Amino acid sequence: MSIGNSPGNSPEDERPFAAAPDDVSDGVTAEARPSIGHVLRQARIAAGLTVDDISGATRVRIAIVHAIEADDFAPCGGDVYARGHIRTLARAVGLDPAPLLDQYAAERGGVPEPTPAAPLFEAERIRPERRGPNWTAAMVAAIVAVIGFVGFTMVKGDGDDGATEASVAEGATATASASASASADPEKPAAPEPSDSAIAAVPQDKVTVQVSATDGRSWISAKDHNGRKLFDGVLDQGDSQTFQDSEKIELVLGDAGAIQLQVNGKKIEDDFQPGSVERLTYTKGDPEVG
C-alpha cells in the first residue's frame, strides 16, 4: 500500500524552477526541450520518490537536489561537480545521464577540462575499507605470555619440569589453533529460513520486520507508527536489519528485487521486481501489507 510522505516534501510538492536557457546551437529551442532540472524533477515524481528519498539514496544534500531541480547549479561548486551530481541524480530516478550531460555541456560551451587533484564530490564518497581484528598482534602477545610463563617455571625449579613443559606445550597449541580459526574470514550467511519455533518466539503484541539484502545492494528507509525514522541507509548484499513497533512499520525499498522480507516471523513471498521502488506498511498479526 502506498504511504503518505512527510508534510512539505511529497513528490508532488510544487517548487519553483527556472526555465532552461535558450539553446539554438543544435536547432532545438528552450520551448521544445525541457530544462535539465525539469526533466530530473519529473522523473523523480514519476518514480514516487521525495527529495528526502533521493538525498538519502545518493548522499547529495537536500539543498543541492532542490537547486539542481530549479536549474541552479551554483551550489554545486563548479562544472565538474555539477556534472557529477547530474549523473548521480539521473541514475537514481532511472534516467540515462548522457543526454542531460550533453545538454549541460551545450548550454555552457562544452565539457570542462579536468580539475587536477579535485576532491570527490559528495555523492560519490568512497567508503573506508573495513578492517578486521589484528590477529597477528594477538598471536604475538600469546607467544610472549607463554615464553614468560616458561621462564618463571624454570626459575622456580619446583621439580615438575616434565608436567610443566607438557602443560605449556598444550596451552601454546590451543592458543595457536584458536588464533588460526579466528583469523579465517567466514562467509556471510544467507538469510535464515524462519522455523516454527522462531515464528512462535515473535511477540504477538508487536509487529516485527526483518529486511535482508539477499540478492544485491539496496537503499531502505524504515519508520515506526509515530513517523520516527528507525533506519535510513544502504544494506550491502548479505546484510540485514530488524525493526519492531507496537503498531506498524513503514518501509521504503529502493531496489525491492534485492530484498527478502520476514514479517512477524513469516517469509514474504511477494515477487518484487529488480530496480522497483516499493512502499509497504506491516502491522501486528499475519504478515499482510497494511
PDB file of all heavy atoms in Angstrom, residues 191-226:
ATOM      1  N   ALA A 191      20.184 -15.281   4.378  1.00  0.00           N
ATOM      2  CA  ALA A 191      19.087 -15.005   5.300  1.00  0.00           C
ATOM      3  C   ALA A 191      18.439 -16.310   5.735  1.00  0.00           C
ATOM      4  O   ALA A 191      18.034 -17.119   4.893  1.00  0.00           O
ATOM      5  CB  ALA A 191      18.042 -14.117   4.618  1.00  0.00           C
ATOM      6  N   PRO A 192      18.325 -16.590   7.055  1.00  0.00           N
ATOM      7  CA  PRO A 192      17.804 -17.870   7.519  1.00  0.00           C
ATOM      8  C   PRO A 192      16.325 -18.014   7.237  1.00  0.00           C
ATOM      9  O   PRO A 192      15.575 -17.044   7.276  1.00  0.00           O
ATOM     10  CB  PRO A 192      18.079 -17.825   9.032  1.00  0.00           C
ATOM     11  CG  PRO A 192      18.125 -16.367   9.358  1.00  0.00           C
ATOM     12  CD  PRO A 192      18.684 -15.694   8.143  1.00  0.00           C
ATOM     13  N   GLU A 193      15.911 -19.232   6.941  1.00  0.00           N
ATOM     14  CA  GLU A 193      14.505 -19.516   6.766  1.00  0.00           C
ATOM     15  C   GLU A 193      13.839 -19.542   8.143  1.00  0.00           C
ATOM     16  O   GLU A 193      14.355 -20.143   9.081  1.00  0.00           O
ATOM     17  CB  GLU A 193      14.304 -20.874   6.072  1.00  0.00           C
ATOM     18  CG  GLU A 193      14.754 -20.895   4.629  1.00  0.00           C
ATOM     19  CD  GLU A 193      13.856 -20.062   3.754  1.00  0.00           C
ATOM     20  OE1 GLU A 193      12.685 -19.863   4.129  1.00  0.00           O
ATOM     21  OE2 GLU A 193      14.316 -19.609   2.702  1.00  0.00           O
ATOM     22  N   PRO A 194      12.691 -18.880   8.328  1.00  0.00           N
ATOM     23  CA  PRO A 194      12.050 -18.869   9.634  1.00  0.00           C
ATOM     24  C   PRO A 194      11.516 -20.241  10.002  1.00  0.00           C
ATOM     25  O   PRO A 194      10.834 -20.884   9.210  1.00  0.00           O
ATOM     26  CB  PRO A 194      10.905 -17.861   9.455  1.00  0.00           C
ATOM     27  CG  PRO A 194      10.650 -17.857   7.988  1.00  0.00           C
ATOM     28  CD  PRO A 194      11.969 -18.127   7.321  1.00  0.00           C
ATOM     29  N   SER A 195      11.834 -20.728  11.192  1.00  0.00           N
ATOM     30  CA  SER A 195      11.332 -22.010  11.679  1.00  0.00           C
ATOM     31  C   SER A 195      10.065 -21.784  12.486  1.00  0.00           C
ATOM     32  O   SER A 195       9.714 -20.659  12.844  1.00  0.00           O
ATOM     33  CB  SER A 195      12.393 -22.692  12.547  1.00  0.00           C
ATOM     34  OG  SER A 195      12.669 -21.892  13.680  1.00  0.00           O
ATOM     35  N   ASP A 196       9.350 -22.887  12.800  1.00  0.00           N
ATOM     36  CA  ASP A 196       8.141 -22.769  13.607  1.00  0.00           C
ATOM     37  C   ASP A 196       8.445 -22.182  14.972  1.00  0.00           C
ATOM     38  O   ASP A 196       7.675 -21.381  15.513  1.00  0.00           O
ATOM     39  CB  ASP A 196       7.486 -24.151  13.769  1.00  0.00           C
ATOM     40  CG  ASP A 196       6.946 -24.674  12.440  1.00  0.00           C
ATOM     41  OD1 ASP A 196       6.713 -23.831  11.541  1.00  0.00           O
ATOM     42  OD2 ASP A 196       6.758 -25.895  12.307  1.00  0.00           O
ATOM     43  N   SER A 197       9.611 -22.577  15.546  1.00  0.00           N
ATOM     44  CA  SER A 197       9.967 -22.053  16.857  1.00  0.00           C
ATOM     45  C   SER A 197      10.266 -20.564  16.787  1.00  0.00           C
ATOM     46  O   SER A 197       9.944 -19.802  17.698  1.00  0.00           O
ATOM     47  CB  SER A 197      11.179 -22.806  17.414  1.00  0.00           C
ATOM     48  OG  SER A 197      12.286 -22.669  16.541  1.00  0.00           O
ATOM     49  N   ALA A 198      10.907 -20.117  15.664  1.00  0.00           N
ATOM     50  CA  ALA A 198      11.199 -18.695  15.511  1.00  0.00           C
ATOM     51  C   ALA A 198       9.914 -17.892  15.382  1.00  0.00           C
ATOM     52  O   ALA A 198       9.787 -16.802  15.926  1.00  0.00           O
ATOM     53  CB  ALA A 198      12.084 -18.473  14.297  1.00  0.00           C
ATOM     54  N   ILE A 199       8.945 -18.427  14.640  1.00  0.00           N
ATOM     55  CA  ILE A 199       7.651 -17.745  14.484  1.00  0.00           C
ATOM     56  C   ILE A 199       6.948 -17.645  15.827  1.00  0.00           C
ATOM     57  O   ILE A 199       6.371 -16.614  16.184  1.00  0.00           O
ATOM     58  CB  ILE A 199       6.782 -18.489  13.453  1.00  0.00           C
ATOM     59  CG1 ILE A 199       7.431 -18.410  12.064  1.00  0.00           C
ATOM     60  CG2 ILE A 199       5.371 -17.917  13.423  1.00  0.00           C
ATOM     61  CD1 ILE A 199       6.734 -19.240  11.022  1.00  0.00           C
ATOM     62  N   ALA A 200       7.003 -18.721  16.607  1.00  0.00           N
ATOM     63  CA  ALA A 200       6.340 -18.723  17.908  1.00  0.00           C
ATOM     64  C   ALA A 200       6.997 -17.741  18.871  1.00  0.00           C
ATOM     65  O   ALA A 200       6.353 -17.207  19.769  1.00  0.00           O
ATOM     66  CB  ALA A 200       6.369 -20.130  18.498  1.00  0.00           C
ATOM     67  N   ALA A 201       8.307 -17.485  18.672  1.00  0.00           N
ATOM     68  CA  ALA A 201       9.031 -16.603  19.587  1.00  0.00           C
ATOM     69  C   ALA A 201       8.770 -15.130  19.318  1.00  0.00           C
ATOM     70  O   ALA A 201       9.132 -14.285  20.131  1.00  0.00           O
ATOM     71  CB  ALA A 201      10.527 -16.885  19.486  1.00  0.00           C
ATOM     72  N   VAL A 202       8.191 -14.777  18.157  1.00  0.00           N
ATOM     73  CA  VAL A 202       7.910 -13.378  17.838  1.00  0.00           C
ATOM     74  C   VAL A 202       6.797 -12.862  18.752  1.00  0.00           C
ATOM     75  O   VAL A 202       5.758 -13.506  18.884  1.00  0.00           O
ATOM     76  CB  VAL A 202       7.495 -13.236  16.358  1.00  0.00           C
ATOM     77  CG1 VAL A 202       7.055 -11.805  16.075  1.00  0.00           C
ATOM     78  CG2 VAL A 202       8.637 -13.636  15.454  1.00  0.00           C
ATOM     79  N   PRO A 203       6.972 -11.701  19.396  1.00  0.00           N
ATOM     80  CA  PRO A 203       5.918 -11.158  20.262  1.00  0.00           C
ATOM     81  C   PRO A 203       4.626 -10.936  19.487  1.00  0.00           C
ATOM     82  O   PRO A 203       4.628 -10.330  18.419  1.00  0.00           O
ATOM     83  CB  PRO A 203       6.518  -9.832  20.754  1.00  0.00           C
ATOM     84  CG  PRO A 203       7.995  -9.971  20.565  1.00  0.00           C
ATOM     85  CD  PRO A 203       8.177 -10.859  19.377  1.00  0.00           C
ATOM     86  N   GLN A 204       3.522 -11.432  20.044  1.00  0.00           N
ATOM     87  CA  GLN A 204       2.241 -11.318  19.353  1.00  0.00           C
ATOM     88  C   GLN A 204       1.646  -9.920  19.460  1.00  0.00           C
ATOM     89  O   GLN A 204       0.757  -9.571  18.693  1.00  0.00           O
ATOM     90  CB  GLN A 204       1.249 -12.343  19.935  1.00  0.00           C
ATOM     91  CG  GLN A 204       1.694 -13.790  19.758  1.00  0.00           C
ATOM     92  CD  GLN A 204       1.885 -14.146  18.287  1.00  0.00           C
ATOM     93  OE1 GLN A 204       0.996 -13.903  17.471  1.00  0.00           O
ATOM     94  NE2 GLN A 204       3.040 -14.712  17.952  1.00  0.00           N
ATOM     95  N   ASP A 205       2.114  -9.126  20.455  1.00  0.00           N
ATOM     96  CA  ASP A 205       1.564  -7.789  20.643  1.00  0.00           C
ATOM     97  C   ASP A 205       2.367  -6.724  19.925  1.00  0.00           C
ATOM     98  O   ASP A 205       2.182  -5.531  20.142  1.00  0.00           O
ATOM     99  CB  ASP A 205       1.500  -7.453  22.133  1.00  0.00           C
ATOM    100  CG  ASP A 205       2.874  -7.480  22.791  1.00  0.00           C
ATOM    101  OD1 ASP A 205       3.785  -8.120  22.220  1.00  0.00           O
ATOM    102  OD2 ASP A 205       3.035  -6.882  23.877  1.00  0.00           O
ATOM    103  N   LYS A 206       3.296  -7.134  19.043  1.00  0.00           N
ATOM    104  CA  LYS A 206       4.119  -6.185  18.295  1.00  0.00           C
ATOM    105  C   LYS A 206       4.203  -6.623  16.830  1.00  0.00           C
ATOM    106  O   LYS A 206       3.878  -7.764  16.502  1.00  0.00           O
ATOM    107  CB  LYS A 206       5.538  -6.086  18.877  1.00  0.00           C
ATOM    108  CG  LYS A 206       5.604  -5.580  20.312  1.00  0.00           C
ATOM    109  CD  LYS A 206       7.052  -5.504  20.790  1.00  0.00           C
ATOM    110  CE  LYS A 206       7.152  -5.064  22.252  1.00  0.00           C
ATOM    111  NZ  LYS A 206       6.670  -3.685  22.416  1.00  0.00           N
ATOM    112  N   VAL A 207       4.647  -5.719  15.980  1.00  0.00           N
ATOM    113  CA  VAL A 207       4.958  -6.064  14.593  1.00  0.00           C
ATOM    114  C   VAL A 207       6.478  -6.088  14.473  1.00  0.00           C
ATOM    115  O   VAL A 207       7.162  -5.165  14.899  1.00  0.00           O
ATOM    116  CB  VAL A 207       4.344  -5.074  13.591  1.00  0.00           C
ATOM    117  CG1 VAL A 207       4.736  -3.650  13.905  1.00  0.00           C
ATOM    118  CG2 VAL A 207       4.777  -5.407  12.161  1.00  0.00           C
ATOM    119  N   THR A 208       6.991  -7.206  13.920  1.00  0.00           N
ATOM    120  CA  THR A 208       8.437  -7.385  13.764  1.00  0.00           C
ATOM    121  C   THR A 208       8.747  -7.605  12.291  1.00  0.00           C
ATOM    122  O   THR A 208       8.178  -8.491  11.651  1.00  0.00           O
ATOM    123  CB  THR A 208       8.924  -8.600  14.580  1.00  0.00           C
ATOM    124  OG1 THR A 208       8.568  -8.420  15.948  1.00  0.00           O
ATOM    125  CG2 THR A 208      10.446  -8.740  14.469  1.00  0.00           C
ATOM    126  N   VAL A 209       9.651  -6.789  11.741  1.00  0.00           N
ATOM    127  CA  VAL A 209      10.004  -6.873  10.318  1.00  0.00           C
ATOM    128  C   VAL A 209      11.517  -7.034  10.198  1.00  0.00           C
ATOM    129  O   VAL A 209      12.274  -6.235  10.743  1.00  0.00           O
ATOM    130  CB  VAL A 209       9.558  -5.614   9.544  1.00  0.00           C
ATOM    131  CG1 VAL A 209       9.984  -5.709   8.082  1.00  0.00           C
ATOM    132  CG2 VAL A 209       8.058  -5.438   9.648  1.00  0.00           C
ATOM    133  N   GLN A 210      11.941  -8.104   9.488  1.00  0.00           N
ATOM    134  CA  GLN A 210      13.361  -8.297   9.197  1.00  0.00           C
ATOM    135  C   GLN A 210      13.583  -8.053   7.702  1.00  0.00           C
ATOM    136  O   GLN A 210      12.931  -8.660   6.861  1.00  0.00           O
ATOM    137  CB  GLN A 210      13.821  -9.703   9.567  1.00  0.00           C
ATOM    138  CG  GLN A 210      15.323  -9.908   9.348  1.00  0.00           C
ATOM    139  CD  GLN A 210      15.772 -11.334   9.623  1.00  0.00           C
ATOM    140  OE1 GLN A 210      15.294 -12.264   8.982  1.00  0.00           O
ATOM    141  NE2 GLN A 210      16.678 -11.506  10.571  1.00  0.00           N
ATOM    142  N   VAL A 211      14.516  -7.157   7.379  1.00  0.00           N
ATOM    143  CA  VAL A 211      14.837  -6.802   5.988  1.00  0.00           C
ATOM    144  C   VAL A 211      16.240  -7.319   5.693  1.00  0.00           C
ATOM    145  O   VAL A 211      17.200  -6.938   6.354  1.00  0.00           O
ATOM    146  CB  VAL A 211      14.770  -5.276   5.780  1.00  0.00           C
ATOM    147  CG1 VAL A 211      15.023  -4.940   4.314  1.00  0.00           C
ATOM    148  CG2 VAL A 211      13.430  -4.733   6.231  1.00  0.00           C
ATOM    149  N   SER A 212      16.371  -8.204   4.681  1.00  0.00           N
ATOM    150  CA  SER A 212      17.660  -8.792   4.333  1.00  0.00           C
ATOM    151  C   SER A 212      17.973  -8.528   2.867  1.00  0.00           C
ATOM    152  O   SER A 212      17.130  -8.746   1.995  1.00  0.00           O
ATOM    153  CB  SER A 212      17.652 -10.312   4.579  1.00  0.00           C
ATOM    154  OG  SER A 212      17.355 -10.608   5.935  1.00  0.00           O
ATOM    155  N   ALA A 213      19.195  -8.033   2.586  1.00  0.00           N
ATOM    156  CA  ALA A 213      19.634  -7.792   1.203  1.00  0.00           C
ATOM    157  C   ALA A 213      20.257  -9.092   0.683  1.00  0.00           C
ATOM    158  O   ALA A 213      21.461  -9.292   0.744  1.00  0.00           O
ATOM    159  CB  ALA A 213      20.631  -6.645   1.153  1.00  0.00           C
ATOM    160  N   THR A 214      19.418 -10.001   0.168  1.00  0.00           N
ATOM    161  CA  THR A 214      19.887 -11.329  -0.237  1.00  0.00           C
ATOM    162  C   THR A 214      20.409 -11.367  -1.664  1.00  0.00           C
ATOM    163  O   THR A 214      21.263 -12.191  -1.992  1.00  0.00           O
ATOM    164  CB  THR A 214      18.744 -12.352  -0.098  1.00  0.00           C
ATOM    165  OG1 THR A 214      17.625 -11.904  -0.874  1.00  0.00           O
ATOM    166  CG2 THR A 214      18.325 -12.503   1.357  1.00  0.00           C
ATOM    167  N   ASP A 215      19.904 -10.485  -2.540  1.00  0.00           N
ATOM    168  CA  ASP A 215      20.246 -10.575  -3.962  1.00  0.00           C
ATOM    169  C   ASP A 215      20.940  -9.332  -4.494  1.00  0.00           C
ATOM    170  O   ASP A 215      20.971  -9.102  -5.693  1.00  0.00           O
ATOM    171  CB  ASP A 215      18.973 -10.838  -4.790  1.00  0.00           C
ATOM    172  CG  ASP A 215      18.342 -12.167  -4.442  1.00  0.00           C
ATOM    173  OD1 ASP A 215      19.095 -13.135  -4.241  1.00  0.00           O
ATOM    174  OD2 ASP A 215      17.107 -12.231  -4.353  1.00  0.00           O
ATOM    175  N   GLY A 216      21.492  -8.515  -3.610  1.00  0.00           N
ATOM    176  CA  GLY A 216      22.183  -7.322  -4.084  1.00  0.00           C
ATOM    177  C   GLY A 216      22.154  -6.237  -3.032  1.00  0.00           C
ATOM    178  O   GLY A 216      21.797  -6.463  -1.876  1.00  0.00           O
ATOM    179  N   ARG A 217      22.486  -5.034  -3.458  1.00  0.00           N
ATOM    180  CA  ARG A 217      22.610  -3.868  -2.571  1.00  0.00           C
ATOM    181  C   ARG A 217      21.387  -2.986  -2.752  1.00  0.00           C
ATOM    182  O   ARG A 217      20.941  -2.752  -3.867  1.00  0.00           O
ATOM    183  CB  ARG A 217      23.897  -3.120  -2.941  1.00  0.00           C
ATOM    184  CG  ARG A 217      24.276  -1.944  -2.086  1.00  0.00           C
ATOM    185  CD  ARG A 217      25.680  -1.487  -2.513  1.00  0.00           C
ATOM    186  NE  ARG A 217      26.161  -0.365  -1.717  1.00  0.00           N
ATOM    187  CZ  ARG A 217      26.016   0.911  -2.050  1.00  0.00           C
ATOM    188  NH1 ARG A 217      25.399   1.216  -3.199  1.00  0.00           N
ATOM    189  NH2 ARG A 217      26.485   1.868  -1.288  1.00  0.00           N
ATOM    190  N   SER A 218      20.828  -2.475  -1.644  1.00  0.00           N
ATOM    191  CA  SER A 218      19.628  -1.652  -1.762  1.00  0.00           C
ATOM    192  C   SER A 218      19.581  -0.615  -0.653  1.00  0.00           C
ATOM    193  O   SER A 218      19.976  -0.882   0.481  1.00  0.00           O
ATOM    194  CB  SER A 218      18.369  -2.530  -1.693  1.00  0.00           C
ATOM    195  OG  SER A 218      17.191  -1.726  -1.695  1.00  0.00           O
ATOM    196  N   TRP A 219      19.080   0.577  -1.001  1.00  0.00           N
ATOM    197  CA  TRP A 219      18.787   1.589  -0.001  1.00  0.00           C
ATOM    198  C   TRP A 219      17.415   1.309   0.586  1.00  0.00           C
ATOM    199  O   TRP A 219      16.476   0.928  -0.126  1.00  0.00           O
ATOM    200  CB  TRP A 219      18.799   2.974  -0.648  1.00  0.00           C
ATOM    201  CG  TRP A 219      18.254   4.058   0.250  1.00  0.00           C
ATOM    202  CD1 TRP A 219      18.906   4.712   1.240  1.00  0.00           C
ATOM    203  CD2 TRP A 219      16.921   4.593   0.237  1.00  0.00           C
ATOM    204  NE1 TRP A 219      18.073   5.619   1.853  1.00  0.00           N
ATOM    205  CE2 TRP A 219      16.855   5.569   1.269  1.00  0.00           C
ATOM    206  CE3 TRP A 219      15.789   4.338  -0.519  1.00  0.00           C
ATOM    207  CZ2 TRP A 219      15.690   6.280   1.525  1.00  0.00           C
ATOM    208  CZ3 TRP A 219      14.638   5.051  -0.254  1.00  0.00           C
ATOM    209  CH2 TRP A 219      14.598   6.022   0.754  1.00  0.00           C
ATOM    210  N   ILE A 220      17.262   1.450   1.919  1.00  0.00           N
ATOM    211  CA  ILE A 220      15.965   1.251   2.560  1.00  0.00           C
ATOM    212  C   ILE A 220      15.739   2.356   3.584  1.00  0.00           C
ATOM    213  O   ILE A 220      16.681   2.973   4.083  1.00  0.00           O
ATOM    214  CB  ILE A 220      15.844  -0.123   3.252  1.00  0.00           C
ATOM    215  CG1 ILE A 220      16.751  -0.187   4.496  1.00  0.00           C
ATOM    216  CG2 ILE A 220      16.136  -1.251   2.306  1.00  0.00           C
ATOM    217  CD1 ILE A 220      16.446  -1.367   5.383  1.00  0.00           C
ATOM    218  N   SER A 221      14.446   2.595   3.880  1.00  0.00           N
ATOM    219  CA  SER A 221      14.047   3.514   4.946  1.00  0.00           C
ATOM    220  C   SER A 221      12.958   2.824   5.758  1.00  0.00           C
ATOM    221  O   SER A 221      12.088   2.155   5.190  1.00  0.00           O
ATOM    222  CB  SER A 221      13.527   4.828   4.355  1.00  0.00           C
ATOM    223  OG  SER A 221      12.988   5.658   5.377  1.00  0.00           O
ATOM    224  N   ALA A 222      13.009   2.953   7.093  1.00  0.00           N
ATOM    225  CA  ALA A 222      12.011   2.339   7.966  1.00  0.00           C
ATOM    226  C   ALA A 222      11.567   3.352   9.016  1.00  0.00           C
ATOM    227  O   ALA A 222      12.394   4.067   9.588  1.00  0.00           O
ATOM    228  CB  ALA A 222      12.577   1.089   8.638  1.00  0.00           C
ATOM    229  N   LYS A 223      10.239   3.429   9.269  1.00  0.00           N
ATOM    230  CA  LYS A 223       9.674   4.324  10.275  1.00  0.00           C
ATOM    231  C   LYS A 223       8.691   3.560  11.153  1.00  0.00           C
ATOM    232  O   LYS A 223       8.082   2.577  10.715  1.00  0.00           O
ATOM    233  CB  LYS A 223       8.960   5.506   9.610  1.00  0.00           C
ATOM    234  CG  LYS A 223       9.872   6.408   8.790  1.00  0.00           C
ATOM    235  CD  LYS A 223       9.075   7.554   8.168  1.00  0.00           C
ATOM    236  CE  LYS A 223       9.981   8.456   7.334  1.00  0.00           C
ATOM    237  NZ  LYS A 223       9.217   9.556   6.693  1.00  0.00           N
ATOM    238  N   ASP A 224       8.513   4.045  12.429  1.00  0.00           N
ATOM    239  CA  ASP A 224       7.529   3.436  13.311  1.00  0.00           C
ATOM    240  C   ASP A 224       6.181   4.122  13.135  1.00  0.00           C
ATOM    241  O   ASP A 224       6.009   4.971  12.252  1.00  0.00           O
ATOM    242  CB  ASP A 224       8.010   3.480  14.765  1.00  0.00           C
ATOM    243  CG  ASP A 224       8.180   4.916  15.281  1.00  0.00           C
ATOM    244  OD1 ASP A 224       7.710   5.856  14.605  1.00  0.00           O
ATOM    245  OD2 ASP A 224       8.781   5.082  16.351  1.00  0.00           O
ATOM    246  N   HIS A 225       5.193   3.769  13.991  1.00  0.00           N
ATOM    247  CA  HIS A 225       3.834   4.298  13.801  1.00  0.00           C
ATOM    248  C   HIS A 225       3.747   5.792  14.076  1.00  0.00           C
ATOM    249  O   HIS A 225       2.778   6.443  13.667  1.00  0.00           O
ATOM    250  CB  HIS A 225       2.848   3.532  14.683  1.00  0.00           C
ATOM    251  CG  HIS A 225       2.938   3.870  16.146  1.00  0.00           C
ATOM    252  ND1 HIS A 225       3.933   3.349  16.967  1.00  0.00           N
ATOM    253  CD2 HIS A 225       2.193   4.700  16.928  1.00  0.00           C
ATOM    254  CE1 HIS A 225       3.760   3.821  18.195  1.00  0.00           C
ATOM    255  NE2 HIS A 225       2.723   4.632  18.206  1.00  0.00           N
ATOM    256  N   ASN A 226       4.734   6.361  14.768  1.00  0.00           N
ATOM    257  CA  ASN A 226       4.761   7.802  15.017  1.00  0.00           C
ATOM    258  C   ASN A 226       5.475   8.566  13.910  1.00  0.00           C
ATOM    259  O   ASN A 226       5.606   9.791  13.991  1.00  0.00           O
ATOM    260  CB  ASN A 226       5.462   8.087  16.354  1.00  0.00           C
ATOM    261  CG  ASN A 226       4.631   7.637  17.547  1.00  0.00           C
ATOM    262  OD1 ASN A 226       3.413   7.812  17.556  1.00  0.00           O
ATOM    263  ND2 ASN A 226       5.280   7.042  18.544  1.00  0.00           N
TER     264      ASN A 226
END
